[in-house]
Amino acid sequence: QQQVKQSPQSLIVQKGGISIINCAYENTAFDYFPWYQQFPGKGPALLIAIRPDVSEKKEGRFTISFNKSAKQFSLHIMDSQPGDSATYFCAASGIQGAQKLVFGQGTRLTINP
Amino acid sequence: EAGVTQFPSHSVIEKGQTVTLRCDPISGHDNLYWYRRVMGKEIKFLLHFVKESKQDESGMPNNRFLAERTGGTYSTLKVQPAELEDSGVYFCASSPGYNQPQHFGDGTRLSIL
């Protein structure tokens, strides 16, 4: 059972453009929504995270938009750079206090120079 | 501060053999998690330790998998006997406390022939 659905599977964006990755979740009990960035041969690295009491969080060029009623959240990368090329995972946790992360399937992002 | 360290980085064994993966969490992190990513699919939770105790092992696939965390420091994940479907990348993560971000290691790529 896929509790967090992520799209698209792959994305190609021109340098300087905006990259947008979307996730939808099923269980309203989730209360923590992180995004991870993974480079080849490396582990996932926490990029930015949000809790459902806010609708948006921005850190540098990275923004999470959160829509609680629609059970959706998205990652926006502004002014995308070739160094942003990586696989991005959304995740959710918090059901009944459980700390385990439930991941989306990942998005392979390529930024063309 | 040293990050989460996993050994080995890659292991190739034959079906029916035994393999032991090791994870050294960030010093002082009481929470330790194991996850697995099978080719092309999402990263899936296996289990969660708080110090030396298993807090949640709901993701362990079957009794061929045994995880330990002696003394609440490093952890091992043993697969015995290994089957073809056990191939994938095994990630370890740690966090300092409840509701704190999880930091991942670079993973162990396990190949069962």
Side-chain angles (χ1 to χ4, degrees):
Chain A
Q1 180 186 7
Q2 180 65 37
Q3 295 189 59
V4 178
K5 294 183 179 180
Q6 183 172 346
S7 63
Q9 282 190 306
S10 62
L11 179 63
I12 300 174
V13 175
Q14 290 300 117
K15 178 182 175 183
I18 303 174
S19 303
I20 302 174
I21 304 171
N22 300 298
C23 284
Y25 61 97
E26 299 173 3
N27 197 317
T28 56
F30 285 132
D31 66 1
Y32 175 66
F33 302 88
W35 283 90
Y36 282 83
Q37 178 189 57
Q38 185 185 22
F39 293 106
K42 297 294 186 181
L46 180 64
L47 194 60
I48 185 172
I50 198 168
R51 297 195 184 272
D53 52 342
V54 296
S55 60
E56 185 175 281
K57 184 174 182 179
K58 183 176 181 179
E59 290 184 1
R61 297 184 294 109
F62 301 91
T63 300
I64 298 179
S65 296
F66 186 82
N67 186 329
K68 189 173 181 178
S69 61
K71 293 188 289 184
Q72 295 176 346
F73 58 111
S74 60
L75 176 69
H76 292 62
I77 306 175
M78 312 299 288
D79 186 26
S80 299
Q81 299 297 311
D84 297 330
S85 297
T87 299
Y88 292 80
F89 294 94
C90 63
S93 71
I95 296 176
Q96 297 178 336
Q99 299 295 287
K100 62 184 177 184
L101 292 170
V102 179
F103 282 89
Q105 290 180 300
T107 296
R108 180 172 291 186
L109 175 65
T110 302
I111 308 299
N112 284 335
Chain B
E1 176 183 77
V4 176
T5 308
Q6 293 187 244
F7 304 97
S9 58
H10 194 183
S11 180
V12 182
I13 63 170
E14 293 188 348
K15 175 183 172 181
Q17 290 185 322
T18 298
V19 63
T20 300
L21 314 181
R22 173 170 168 146
C23 170
D24 286 73
I26 294 172
S27 178
H29 283 197
D30 287 341
N31 293 268
L32 187 148
Y33 308 81
W34 283 98
Y35 294 86
R36 175 175 74 172
R37 188 181 192 202
V38 173
M39 178 74 75
K41 298 197 172 182
E42 71 272 21
I43 301 170
K44 282 194 172 180
F45 168 82
L46 296 177
L47 87 159
H48 169 203
F49 283 100
V50 177
K51 296 185 180 179
E52 67 276 8
S53 300
K54 292 177 184 175
Q55 181 78 12
D56 180 355
E57 50 184 330
S58 61
M60 294 289 266
N62 52 61
N63 59 11
R64 294 185 295 103
F65 289 75
L66 175 64
E68 295 180 325
R69 192 181 182 195
T70 306
T73 54
Y74 70 91
S75 175
T76 58
L77 179 65
K78 181 191 292 187
V79 185
Q80 178 182 31
E83 299 290 344
L84 297 177
E85 64 265 25
D86 301 332
S87 295
V89 182
Y90 290 75
F91 291 106
C92 175
S94 71
S95 70
Y98 181 81
N99 250 0
Q100 295 296 305
Q102 295 179 29
H103 302 270
F104 281 73
D106 288 339
T108 293
R109 181 173 297 276
L110 179 61
S111 301
I112 312 299
L113 305 179

